[in-house]
Amino acid sequence: MSNSYTLPSQVQLLPPTPQLKGLMTIIRAKDTTRSDFIFYADRIIRLLVEEGLNHLPCIGKNVETPTGATYNGIDFEGRICGVSIMRAGEAMEQGLRECCRSVRIGKILIQRDEETHQPKLFYAKLPKDIDSRYVLLLDPMLATGGSAMQAVQVLLDNNVREDHIIFLNLIASPEGIENFVAKYPKVKIVAGEVDSNLDSNKYIVPGVGDFGCR
């Protein structure tokens, strides 16, 4: 991320720990094997899911421990589901399932229309009660933001509240972030890292290449 770029308030980055930097180094290297890429990307995805869950509303909850004492804890308020933007977003589903037992997961397929070059919805399968849930939207890369914005519109069209959407991605571009937050200012973005820019082919630089083909 450029030192001159200021993140919008809607964007939360993972803490830049040596562990995260090491994991990012592995998945970004062009000579990383497919099995290693999947393994270490999964570790980052797990961190993203855990951070995303931190942004859900909570209420107080007291429980009695085995010693007979009372512990003043919390409980999550409301129910959640995941929605992956196919096909790269499907790689994030297992990380969500590992953190949230029996979580419901929907899917949205968006591809570029060859005539208009704009993102177009081809398929959507969502939980029937999605309008009553908080949604973790899953897509590993936020490049131009076109697919993500189209996916959010699908959720809004299914009566999901904008402020009930948390968008999780491993790597984002400043251009994608600015496009996204300008259209959907109430959606929270949780990202691993923000890179420098997009190249002429709209790939994130330095990026990881095509995430779904790694």
Side-chain angles (χ1 to χ4, degrees), residues 79-84 104-108 124-137 151-152 154-161 164-165:
R79 300 174 299 166
I80 69 167
C81 69
V83 173
S84 62
R104 296 182 181 180
I105 297 180
K107 297 177 185 290
I108 296 175
K125 184 175 182 180
L126 306 173
K128 293 181 179 180
D129 60 349
I130 194 170
D131 60 335
S132 65
R133 295 176 180 267
Y134 287 85
V135 178
L136 298 181
L137 184 62
V152 170
V154 172
L155 297 178
L156 297 181
D157 291 343
N158 282 270
N159 299 316
V160 176
R161 286 176 48 177
H164 281 196
I165 302 170

Side-chain angles (χ1 to χ4, degrees), residues 50-185:
E50 296 283 10
E51 179 59 33
L53 295 174
N54 282 334
H55 296 277
L56 296 173
C58 300
I59 57 175
K61 181 178 181 178
N62 296 335
V63 296
E64 183 179 351
T65 73
T67 65
T70 298
Y71 176 76
N72 301 319
I74 63 170
D75 194 9
F76 289 117
E77 187 176 26
R79 300 174 299 166
I80 69 167
C81 69
V83 173
S84 62
I85 301 177
M86 299 166 65
R87 59 189 170 93
E90 292 177 301
M92 303 177 70
E93 293 179 3
Q94 185 58 35
L96 177 57
R97 288 191 177 99
E98 289 173 353
C99 295
C100 304
R101 182 178 297 177
S102 302
V103 65
R104 296 182 181 180
I105 297 180
K107 297 177 185 290
I108 296 175
L109 174 60
I110 295 168
Q111 294 181 340
R112 190 176 72 165
D113 188 291
E114 294 302 324
E115 294 182 0
T116 65
H117 303 292
Q118 298 299 313
K120 180 180 179 181
L121 174 66
F122 281 83
Y123 171 84
K125 184 175 182 180
L126 306 173
K128 293 181 179 180
D129 60 349
I130 194 170
D131 60 335
S132 65
R133 295 176 180 267
Y134 287 85
V135 178
L136 298 181
L137 184 62
L138 312 174
D139 196 3
M141 310 297 287
L142 175 56
T144 64
S147 295
M149 289 188 289
Q150 181 73 35
V152 170
Q153 188 58 54
V154 172
L155 297 178
L156 297 181
D157 291 343
N158 282 270
N159 299 316
V160 176
R161 286 176 48 177
E162 184 177 331
D163 61 351
H164 281 196
I165 302 170
I166 302 172
F167 180 31
L168 308 182
N169 60 90
L170 279 76
I171 300 172
S173 73
E175 296 94 327
I177 289 174
E178 293 302 317
N179 291 338
F180 188 94
V181 300
K183 189 168 185 179
Y184 300 114

Side-chain angles (χ1 to χ4, degrees), residues 1 7 11-17 19-25 27-28 41 43-49 51-52 92 139-142 167-173 177 189-195 204 208 211:
M1 180 172 63
L7 281 176
V11 181
Q12 175 68 51
L13 292 183
L14 293 180
T17 62
Q19 176 185 203
L20 178 62
K21 196 70 172 178
L23 296 173
M24 285 290 187
T25 301
I27 70 168
R28 289 175 184 272
R43 287 187 58 189
I44 301 173
I45 291 166
R46 180 73 176 264
L47 295 174
L48 284 169
V49 172
E51 179 59 33
M92 303 177 70
D139 196 3
M141 310 297 287
L142 175 56
F167 180 31
L168 308 182
N169 60 90
L170 279 76
I171 300 172
S173 73
I177 289 174
I189 299 175
V190 177
E193 288 186 339
V194 176
D195 277 7
I204 300 174
V208 297
F211 189 96

